[in-house]
Amino acid sequence: MFYGQLEGTGVEILDPRFQDCIIGHARVERLWTGARWSEGPAWFPAGRYLIWSDIPNNRLLRYDDCGGNVAVFRQPSNNANGNTVDAQGRLITCEHLARRVTRTEHDGSIRVIADSYKGKRLNSPNDAVVKSDGSIWFTDPSYGILTDYEGKRAKSEIGACHVYRADPDTGEVAIVADDFDKPNGLAFSPDETFLYVADTGATHRPDGPKHIRKLSVHADGRSLGGSTIFAECTEGLFDGFRVDEDGRIWTSAGDGVHCYDPDGTLIGKIRIPEIVSNVCFGGAQLNRLFITGTTSLYSIYLAVNGANRIG
Ligand code: MG
Protein backbone atom coordinates (compact mmCIF):
# COMPACT_ATOMS: atom_id res chain seq x y z
CA MET A 1 0.00 0.00 0.00
CA PHE A 2 1.30 3.45 -0.84
CA TYR A 3 0.90 6.28 1.59
CA GLY A 4 1.22 9.81 0.31
CA GLN A 5 3.37 12.14 2.31
CA LEU A 6 1.36 13.64 5.17
CA GLU A 7 1.62 17.42 5.09
CA GLY A 8 4.28 18.76 7.43
CA THR A 9 6.02 15.41 7.83
CA GLY A 10 9.21 14.02 6.38
CA VAL A 11 12.52 12.42 7.15
CA GLU A 12 15.56 14.65 7.52
CA ILE A 13 18.95 12.95 7.26
CA LEU A 14 21.62 14.95 9.07
CA ASP A 15 24.28 12.23 9.17
CA PRO A 16 24.81 9.30 6.77
CA ARG A 17 24.29 6.90 9.67
CA PHE A 18 20.62 7.83 9.76
CA GLN A 19 20.11 6.43 6.26
CA ASP A 20 20.38 2.91 7.69
CA CYS A 21 17.62 3.65 10.20
CA ILE A 22 15.04 4.70 7.65
CA ILE A 23 12.90 2.87 5.10
CA GLY A 24 12.91 5.01 1.99
CA HIS A 25 9.26 4.72 1.10
CA ALA A 26 7.88 4.59 4.63
CA ARG A 27 5.70 7.54 5.50
CA VAL A 28 4.47 9.13 8.71
CA GLU A 29 0.87 8.09 9.30
CA ARG A 30 -1.59 9.96 11.48
CA LEU A 31 -3.48 7.19 13.24
CA TRP A 32 -5.87 9.31 15.25
CA THR A 33 -6.51 12.90 16.28
CA GLY A 34 -8.71 14.59 18.87
CA ALA A 35 -6.61 14.90 22.02
CA ARG A 36 -5.54 18.05 23.83
CA TRP A 37 -2.08 16.88 24.94
CA SER A 38 -1.04 13.38 24.03
CA GLU A 39 1.68 11.71 26.10
CA GLY A 40 2.87 8.44 27.51
CA PRO A 41 2.64 5.84 24.70
CA ALA A 42 3.19 2.24 25.85
CA TRP A 43 3.06 -0.86 23.64
CA PHE A 44 1.49 -4.13 24.84
CA PRO A 45 2.91 -6.95 22.68
CA ALA A 46 0.57 -9.70 23.89
CA GLY A 47 -2.58 -7.75 22.99
CA ARG A 48 -1.14 -5.81 20.05
CA TYR A 49 -2.40 -2.49 21.33
CA LEU A 50 -1.00 0.83 22.46
CA ILE A 51 -2.12 2.81 25.49
CA TRP A 52 -1.46 6.53 25.70
CA SER A 53 -2.56 9.53 27.75
CA ASP A 54 -4.62 12.60 26.88
CA ILE A 55 -3.63 14.46 30.03
CA PRO A 56 -5.94 17.52 30.11
CA ASN A 57 -8.93 15.43 29.03
CA ASN A 58 -8.27 13.13 31.97
CA ARG A 59 -8.30 9.92 29.96
CA LEU A 60 -6.22 7.04 28.73
CA LEU A 61 -6.75 6.02 25.11
CA ARG A 62 -6.13 2.68 23.43
CA TYR A 63 -5.12 2.10 19.82
CA ASP A 64 -5.94 -1.41 18.60
CA ASP A 65 -3.29 -2.52 16.11
CA CYS A 66 -5.56 -5.31 14.85
CA GLY A 67 -8.51 -3.16 13.84
CA GLY A 68 -6.94 0.29 13.81
CA ASN A 69 -9.64 1.75 16.01
CA VAL A 70 -9.17 3.97 19.05
CA ALA A 71 -11.30 3.90 22.19
CA VAL A 72 -11.18 5.35 25.68
CA PHE A 73 -9.38 2.89 27.95
CA ARG A 74 -9.85 4.70 31.28
CA GLN A 75 -11.64 7.90 32.25
CA PRO A 76 -11.07 9.56 34.62
CA SER A 77 -7.39 8.68 34.52
CA ASN A 78 -6.24 11.01 37.32
CA ASN A 79 -4.65 13.09 34.55
CA ALA A 80 -2.32 10.23 33.72
CA ASN A 81 0.93 11.18 31.99
CA GLY A 82 3.74 8.67 31.32
CA ASN A 83 2.98 4.98 30.86
CA THR A 84 5.10 1.90 30.45
CA VAL A 85 4.81 -1.89 30.65
CA ASP A 86 6.54 -4.24 33.08
CA ALA A 87 7.97 -7.70 32.37
CA GLN A 88 4.64 -9.31 33.27
CA GLY A 89 2.81 -7.12 30.76
CA ARG A 90 1.19 -4.87 33.35
CA LEU A 91 0.51 -1.19 32.76
CA ILE A 92 2.57 1.24 34.85
CA THR A 93 1.09 4.75 34.96
CA CYS A 94 2.19 8.13 36.30
CA GLU A 95 -0.84 10.01 37.64
CA HIS A 96 -0.66 13.78 38.04
CA LEU A 97 -3.90 14.28 39.96
CA ALA A 98 -3.40 11.50 42.47
CA ARG A 99 0.35 12.29 42.57
CA ARG A 100 1.36 8.68 42.35
CA VAL A 101 2.70 5.83 40.23
CA THR A 102 0.35 2.89 39.83
CA ARG A 103 0.30 -0.59 38.35
CA THR A 104 -2.78 -2.08 36.73
CA GLU A 105 -2.90 -5.70 37.85
CA HIS A 106 -3.95 -8.65 35.70
CA ASP A 107 -7.41 -8.59 37.31
CA GLY A 108 -7.81 -4.91 36.41
CA SER A 109 -7.37 -3.54 39.92
CA ILE A 110 -5.02 -0.63 40.46
CA ARG A 111 -2.17 -0.88 42.93
CA VAL A 112 -0.16 2.07 44.20
CA ILE A 113 3.58 1.65 43.59
CA ALA A 114 4.68 5.04 44.98
CA ASP A 115 2.85 8.11 46.23
CA SER A 116 5.18 9.63 48.80
CA TYR A 117 8.76 9.95 49.94
CA LYS A 118 9.43 9.88 53.69
CA GLY A 119 5.83 10.82 54.45
CA LYS A 120 5.63 13.70 51.95
CA ARG A 121 3.48 13.45 48.87
CA LEU A 122 5.18 13.28 45.50
CA ASN A 123 4.72 16.28 43.18
CA SER A 124 3.27 14.73 40.02
CA PRO A 125 5.08 11.73 38.57
CA ASN A 126 5.76 12.32 34.89
CA ASP A 127 7.41 9.34 33.26
CA ALA A 128 8.57 5.86 34.29
CA VAL A 129 10.75 3.02 33.11
CA VAL A 130 11.02 -0.55 34.41
CA LYS A 131 14.48 -2.03 34.95
CA SER A 132 15.16 -5.73 34.33
CA ASP A 133 15.29 -6.34 38.11
CA GLY A 134 11.66 -5.22 38.35
CA SER A 135 12.36 -1.86 39.95
CA ILE A 136 10.43 1.13 38.62
CA TRP A 137 12.35 4.36 38.05
CA PHE A 138 10.38 7.56 37.64
CA THR A 139 10.69 11.34 37.46
CA ASP A 140 8.71 13.73 39.65
CA PRO A 141 8.64 17.29 38.28
CA SER A 142 5.95 19.77 39.34
CA TYR A 143 3.93 20.14 36.11
CA GLY A 144 0.83 18.49 37.55
CA ILE A 145 0.67 20.77 40.60
CA LEU A 146 1.52 24.10 38.95
CA THR A 147 -1.95 24.59 37.44
CA ASP A 148 -5.36 22.93 37.34
CA TYR A 149 -4.96 22.09 33.64
CA GLU A 150 -3.09 18.80 33.89
CA GLY A 151 -3.79 17.98 37.51
CA LYS A 152 -4.54 20.11 40.58
CA ARG A 153 -2.66 23.19 41.72
CA ALA A 154 -0.93 22.49 45.01
CA LYS A 155 2.21 23.22 46.93
CA SER A 156 5.12 20.84 46.63
CA GLU A 157 5.53 18.95 49.88
CA ILE A 158 8.99 17.69 48.97
CA GLY A 159 10.04 21.11 47.68
CA ALA A 160 12.16 19.78 44.82
CA CYS A 161 11.92 17.60 41.72
CA HIS A 162 13.84 14.35 41.87
CA VAL A 163 14.33 11.04 40.10
CA TYR A 164 13.22 8.03 42.16
CA ARG A 165 13.57 4.27 42.22
CA ALA A 166 10.63 2.30 43.57
CA ASP A 167 10.78 -1.35 44.57
CA PRO A 168 7.30 -2.81 43.99
CA ASP A 169 8.04 -5.81 46.22
CA THR A 170 9.19 -3.95 49.34
CA GLY A 171 7.45 -0.62 48.77
CA GLU A 172 10.76 1.19 49.19
CA VAL A 173 11.04 4.52 47.39
CA ALA A 174 14.53 6.05 47.10
CA ILE A 175 15.93 9.19 45.50
CA VAL A 176 18.46 8.28 42.81
CA ALA A 177 19.14 11.81 41.49
CA ASP A 178 18.49 15.09 43.31
CA ASP A 179 20.19 17.64 41.07
CA PHE A 180 17.56 18.12 38.37
CA ASP A 181 15.38 21.17 37.74
CA LYS A 182 12.42 19.39 36.09
CA PRO A 183 13.33 15.77 35.35
CA ASN A 184 11.12 14.37 32.61
CA GLY A 185 11.55 11.46 30.18
CA LEU A 186 13.93 8.64 31.08
CA ALA A 187 15.27 5.40 29.61
CA PHE A 188 18.08 2.94 30.22
CA SER A 189 20.74 2.08 27.68
CA PRO A 190 20.20 -1.47 26.30
CA ASP A 191 22.73 -2.96 28.76
CA GLU A 192 21.39 -0.81 31.62
CA THR A 193 24.80 0.64 32.41
CA PHE A 194 23.46 4.14 31.79
CA LEU A 195 20.24 5.97 32.57
CA TYR A 196 19.26 8.85 30.31
CA VAL A 197 17.07 11.55 31.85
CA ALA A 198 15.65 14.67 30.18
CA ASP A 199 15.50 17.94 32.08
CA THR A 200 12.84 20.41 30.89
CA GLY A 201 13.59 23.19 33.37
CA ALA A 202 13.49 25.67 30.47
CA THR A 203 9.67 25.54 30.51
CA HIS A 204 9.66 27.84 33.53
CA ARG A 205 13.12 29.44 33.46
CA PRO A 206 14.46 30.98 30.23
CA ASP A 207 17.99 29.88 31.08
CA GLY A 208 16.83 26.54 32.46
CA PRO A 209 18.01 23.19 31.16
CA LYS A 210 16.67 21.67 27.95
CA HIS A 211 18.86 18.66 27.58
CA ILE A 212 19.22 14.92 28.16
CA ARG A 213 21.74 13.82 30.75
CA LYS A 214 23.52 10.46 30.75
CA LEU A 215 24.06 9.03 34.23
CA SER A 216 26.14 5.95 34.95
CA VAL A 217 24.43 3.14 36.84
CA HIS A 218 26.51 1.76 39.69
CA ALA A 219 27.39 -1.94 39.77
CA ASP A 220 24.72 -2.45 42.44
CA GLY A 221 22.16 -1.68 39.74
CA ARG A 222 20.16 0.55 42.07
CA SER A 223 22.09 3.80 42.37
CA LEU A 224 23.60 6.34 39.99
CA GLY A 225 27.07 7.77 39.62
CA GLY A 226 28.49 10.58 37.57
CA SER A 227 26.64 12.24 34.74
CA THR A 228 27.34 14.16 31.57
CA ILE A 229 25.12 16.20 29.30
CA PHE A 230 24.33 13.85 26.43
CA ALA A 231 22.55 16.32 24.13
CA GLU A 232 21.20 19.86 24.16
CA CYS A 233 17.85 20.26 22.44
CA THR A 234 18.09 22.31 19.24
CA GLU A 235 14.34 22.77 18.73
CA GLY A 236 11.87 23.07 21.60
CA LEU A 237 12.39 20.62 24.43
CA PHE A 238 13.18 16.96 24.92
CA ASP A 239 10.26 15.39 26.78
CA GLY A 240 9.86 11.60 26.57
CA PHE A 241 12.10 9.27 24.57
CA ARG A 242 13.04 5.64 23.96
CA VAL A 243 16.21 3.72 23.09
CA ASP A 244 16.56 1.30 20.18
CA GLU A 245 18.44 -2.01 20.25
CA ASP A 246 21.67 -0.35 19.11
CA GLY A 247 21.45 2.31 21.79
CA ARG A 248 20.25 5.23 19.66
CA ILE A 249 18.00 7.74 21.40
CA TRP A 250 14.71 8.55 19.65
CA THR A 251 13.42 11.61 21.41
CA SER A 252 10.55 14.03 21.29
CA ALA A 253 11.32 17.64 20.31
CA GLY A 254 9.53 20.77 19.15
CA ASP A 255 9.58 19.94 15.45
CA GLY A 256 9.21 16.18 15.59
CA VAL A 257 11.39 13.26 16.60
CA HIS A 258 15.17 13.67 16.89
CA CYS A 259 17.46 10.65 16.64
CA TYR A 260 20.83 10.61 18.39
CA ASP A 261 23.64 8.16 17.89
CA PRO A 262 24.95 6.77 21.20
CA ASP A 263 27.98 9.04 20.70
CA GLY A 264 25.68 12.08 21.10
CA THR A 265 25.45 13.11 17.43
CA LEU A 266 22.07 14.27 16.15
CA ILE A 267 21.86 12.07 13.05
CA GLY A 268 18.35 12.72 11.81
CA LYS A 269 14.81 13.91 12.37
CA ILE A 270 11.31 12.78 11.61
CA ARG A 271 9.32 15.95 11.08
CA ILE A 272 5.88 16.06 12.69
CA PRO A 273 3.53 19.03 12.22
CA GLU A 274 2.83 19.28 15.97
CA ILE A 275 4.96 19.42 19.10
CA VAL A 276 5.96 15.89 20.03
CA SER A 277 5.83 14.79 23.67
CA ASN A 278 6.97 11.17 23.56
CA VAL A 279 7.56 8.05 21.46
CA CYS A 280 7.66 4.29 21.87
CA PHE A 281 8.54 1.28 19.75
CA GLY A 282 5.76 -1.14 18.92
CA GLY A 283 4.37 -3.53 16.38
CA ALA A 284 5.07 -7.24 16.38
CA GLN A 285 8.73 -6.64 15.43
CA LEU A 286 9.21 -3.46 17.49
CA ASN A 287 10.11 -1.72 14.23
CA ARG A 288 7.27 0.80 14.31
CA LEU A 289 7.76 4.08 16.13
CA PHE A 290 4.59 5.44 17.73
CA ILE A 291 4.67 9.18 18.26
CA THR A 292 2.42 11.25 20.53
CA GLY A 293 2.17 14.73 19.01
CA THR A 294 -0.10 17.18 20.85
CA THR A 295 -3.55 16.36 19.39
CA SER A 296 -2.62 13.21 17.51
CA LEU A 297 -1.08 9.75 17.46
CA TYR A 298 1.37 9.17 14.61
CA SER A 299 3.56 6.26 13.54
CA ILE A 300 6.28 5.39 11.07
CA TYR A 301 7.95 2.07 10.27
CA LEU A 302 11.73 2.07 10.71
CA ALA A 303 14.68 -0.06 9.63
CA VAL A 304 15.70 -0.43 13.27
CA ASN A 305 14.00 -2.13 16.21
CA GLY A 306 13.28 -1.03 19.71
CA ALA A 307 15.47 -2.46 22.44
CA ASN A 308 14.05 -5.88 23.22
CA ARG A 309 13.62 -5.14 26.87
CA ILE A 310 10.83 -4.24 29.18
CA GLY A 311 9.75 -0.68 29.86
MG1 MG B 1 7.04 13.86 30.03
Side-chain angles (χ1 to χ4, degrees):
M1 184 179 228
F2 173 77
Y3 290 94
Q5 187 94 1
L6 185 67
E7 190 178 345
T9 69
V11 169
E12 200 173 320
I13 294 169
L14 302 171
D15 181 292
R17 289 173 284 183
F18 197 53
Q19 195 78 56
D20 296 335
C21 304
I22 294 300
I23 296 168
H25 59 275
R27 296 287 181 260
V28 173
E29 304 167 43
R30 183 186 283 122
L31 302 175
W32 185 86
T33 192
R36 282 207 164 84
W37 182 247
S38 295
E39 245 282 12
W43 173 255
F44 291 77
R48 287 182 55 191
Y49 59 86
L50 179 108
I51 298 279
W52 86 98
S53 299
D54 179 3
I55 308 175
N57 284 325
N58 200 15
R59 60 183 178 172
L60 287 169
L61 298 163
R62 178 183 184 272
Y63 167 77
D64 179 0
D65 187 42
C66 305
N69 57 304
V70 169
V72 173
F73 175 75
R74 179 183 297 163
Q75 190 172 32
S77 62
N78 288 328
N79 299 107
N81 188 341
N83 298 290
T84 193
V85 185
D86 74 5
Q88 288 74 39
R90 296 170 292 195
L91 170 65
I92 309 292
T93 298
C94 297
E95 299 181 0
H96 277 184
L97 185 65
R99 300 169 67 168
R100 64 186 188 177
V101 178
T102 63
R103 185 172 77 199
T104 303
E105 307 289 54
H106 290 128
D107 66 2
S109 61
I110 293 173
R111 182 187 152 187
V112 177
I113 299 296
D115 61 1
S116 62
Y117 177 73
K118 292 194 172 171
K120 295 177 177 173
R121 295 186 75 190
L122 298 172
N123 299 322
S124 51
N126 187 288
D127 218 339
V129 64
V130 180
K131 198 165 176 287
S132 59
D133 64 1
S135 58
I136 298 168
W137 300 51
F138 65 94
T139 55
D140 186 42
S142 50
Y143 295 114
I145 57 172
L146 292 175
T147 71
D148 293 331
Y149 185 61
E150 294 187 329
K152 181 74 180 165
R153 189 199 309 261
K155 200 170 162 44
S156 172
E157 294 185 14
I158 293 169
C161 303
H162 300 316
V163 185
Y164 295 87
R165 174 190 185 275
D167 184 329
D169 297 327
T170 65
E172 180 194 3
V173 178
I175 294 172
V176 288
D178 62 0
D179 58 348
F180 279 77
D181 188 337
K182 286 187 167 47
N184 206 313
L186 74 173
F188 287 100
S189 61
D191 62 2
E192 297 186 340
T193 56
F194 293 101
L195 178 70
Y196 297 95
V197 185
D199 196 331
T200 48
T203 52
H204 288 75
R205 220 160 36 84
D207 61 342
K210 49 175 187 171
H211 54 226
I212 291 174
R213 278 168 54 187
K214 182 179 183 180
L215 301 97
S216 61
V217 179
H218 281 148
D220 65 5
R222 51 189 297 150
S223 59
L224 299 172
S227 79
T228 56
I229 293 177
F230 174 73
E232 291 282 354
C233 194
T234 54
E235 188 65 47
L237 295 166
F238 298 134
D239 192 337
F241 56 91
R242 293 292 203 277
V243 176
D244 72 23
E245 64 180 349
D246 300 317
R248 297 179 202 86
I249 309 288
W250 297 77
T251 176
S252 57
D255 57 351
V257 178
H258 293 188
C259 180
Y260 284 85
D261 187 83
D263 73 4
T265 307
L266 175 60
I267 59 173
K269 295 184 179 184
I270 298 166
R271 294 275 190 179
I272 298 291
E274 301 186 84
I275 294 171
V276 170
S277 65
N278 214 328
V279 303
C280 82
F281 288 91
Q285 307 298 322
L286 294 182
N287 63 341
R288 188 180 191 185
L289 191 70
F290 289 93
I291 301 161
T292 47
T294 310
T295 65
S296 306
L297 176 69
Y298 300 87
S299 79
I300 184 170
Y301 280 93
L302 300 172
V304 299
N305 304 70
N308 187 21
R309 60 176 306 284
I310 53 173

